[in-house]
Amino acid sequence: MHIVFFGDQHLDSLGGAQVSMRLQREFLERAGHTVTVVAPRMHASTGSATQGRTGSATQGRTGSATQAPNPAYVDLPSVPITLDREYSMSWPGRGTDRFLDRAMTRRPAVDLVHVQADFWGAFIGHRYAARHGIPVVHTMHNRVDVGLAAVTPLHRPVLRILNAWRRGALRGVGDAVAGSDGWAFLRGLAAGASAVTAPSTHFARRLEQHGVFDTVDVVWNGIDDDLRDATVAAAPEHRAPGKPRFVWLGRMSPEKRLLPFLEAFVASGVDAELEIIGGGAQRAAAEKIVEGRAGVRFAGRLTYAQTLAHIAAADALVQTSIGFETQGMTPFEAATLGTPSVICDPDIAAELGGGLWAVPDADAPATGREREAQRAEALAETLRRAASDIVAGTAPTPVPEVAEAFRQSSRTAAMIRVYERVLAGR
């Protein structure tokens, strides 16, 4: 098969979705398929995301000024949308359509379009598929409503604007979808798809409940088989002596709840070490919370291999976002490496099935400050319990089945079955 991926961001930029798509492409090609990746051209000339989820500033990018363009990529005309020029956007209009059609004439006939985008990349991908009569598999990566609510108080008017943009960009693609909330936006994206997948059971069920698609296939994002095996082989057989070692990994932005976590960590009084991996706008605020607190280290952005090694070396990973993640990659990465997790999101705890410390959520009637106070107290208490279990040698063990099911080879096999079903139904 020749499958064309569409993304909102270039695969060499930083982000979990980009890492997942790179792995998908690699393992599809190992299985004998051809993959073309369509995304906005990058404008940054240095960086590392070819190596890592959180990234590193030392590695060159495919298609950057330091390397020849990757022949698997179609880089669309774009404009940078962040000050560091890491991220960019392409306008979903006739000019982009013409550019893409010309670029694709030099490639094999396309069997299937796989949209893994939420905004302009999704619009461009669905427009391309509709023009050429190609079936679409759409992977939903984003709770658009929750993500916007976490970063702006104007999320409702922003959603109205996004839905108006969607209706204009996808006019004539699938059935028209009315509405102005986040679920209407996702229903509009799914209208042109033959199949919809989600990276977790809980997100798939929510999509079905809100009428986004009748039956959503669950296909987890995976971990590189070879790198996982190498990381496990390099890890010490027995825990190194010392204080309990916690690790937190992610983008330092409000929806990830790093600041409330650090406040709870300080309040817990645990005699433990904590490593923070990643970067973002909240780093200065995060450093201020733990200023003078011994044992807290900000590692910055690491390569994918380095990040996995640090997770494997930790006693526990801490997952802190609530209701935002459509899968929550880091606890699954930790589980497949044998590291248990402290989990704040009950959906992720249920998906993992065991090998964790679940943080009780706030009481249902609690709102605002009361809810956050309850969550902080519950997290502090769970951190104390986790530290005590680690010292006593009674930490939970991740479920073995998760490690096997999280391998990218098994995830690619599952996605190929979806592709084959869609093509058989044409």
Side-chain angles (χ1 to χ4, degrees), residues 227 231 234-236 275 277 303-314 337 339:
L227 191 51
T231 302
E275 183 175 47
I277 301 174
T303 67
Y304 186 38
Q306 290 170 335
T307 298
L308 294 181
H310 283 235
I311 293 173
L337 297 170
T339 300

Side-chain angles (χ1 to χ4, degrees), residues 195-279:
V196 170
T197 76
S200 67
T201 302
H202 66 263
F203 189 41
R205 299 296 84 84
R206 283 203 177 100
L207 292 167
E208 293 168 354
Q209 290 161 7
H210 286 86
V212 173
F213 207 75
D214 289 341
T215 302
V216 178
D217 292 281
V218 179
V219 183
W220 288 354
N221 295 320
I223 189 172
D224 186 306
D225 297 40
D226 301 335
L227 191 51
R228 183 262 177 194
D229 292 343
T231 302
V232 171
E237 187 175 348
H238 301 289
R239 179 186 182 271
K243 299 176 182 180
R245 292 178 288 273
F246 293 99
V247 62
W248 184 96
L249 164 66
R251 182 175 61 253
M252 297 181 187
S253 53
E255 72 278 6
K256 298 294 187 176
R257 302 183 72 248
L258 171 61
L259 304 188
F261 160 57
L262 292 177
E263 290 168 351
F265 181 79
V266 172
S268 73
V270 291
D271 184 19
E273 297 176 359
L274 171 63
E275 183 175 47
I276 309 294
I277 301 174

Side-chain angles (χ1 to χ4, degrees), residues 295-365:
V296 179
R297 173 176 174 264
F298 287 80
R301 290 171 168 169
L302 304 178
T303 67
Y304 186 38
Q306 290 170 335
T307 298
L308 294 181
H310 283 235
I311 293 173
D315 294 311
L317 177 133
V318 185
Q319 180 277 327
T320 52
S321 63
I322 300 175
F324 171 74
E325 309 292 350
T326 55
Q327 177 179 0
M329 285 281 287
T330 54
F332 288 85
E333 289 167 333
T336 199
L337 297 170
T339 300
S341 295
V342 174
I343 303 290
C344 290
D345 191 314
D347 288 330
I348 295 175
E351 193 94 11
L352 279 170
L356 55 92
W357 296 273
V359 179
D361 201 2
D363 297 334

Side-chain angles (χ1 to χ4, degrees), residues 5-58:
F5 286 179
F6 283 83
D8 283 324
Q9 296 301 330
H10 198 282
L11 264 59
D12 288 344
S13 66
L14 306 177
Q18 292 89 303
V19 169
S20 174
M21 290 172 70
R22 291 199 300 270
L23 278 177
Q24 291 173 50
R25 177 194 152 215
E26 177 185 345
F27 279 78
L28 281 167
E29 289 178 344
R30 288 189 191 184
H33 303 290
T34 300
V35 180
T36 297
V37 181
V38 179
R41 181 175 69 86
M42 282 191 71
H43 295 264
S45 59
T46 61
S48 72
T50 54
Q51 295 297 318
R53 248 182 94 218
T54 57
S56 147
T58 59

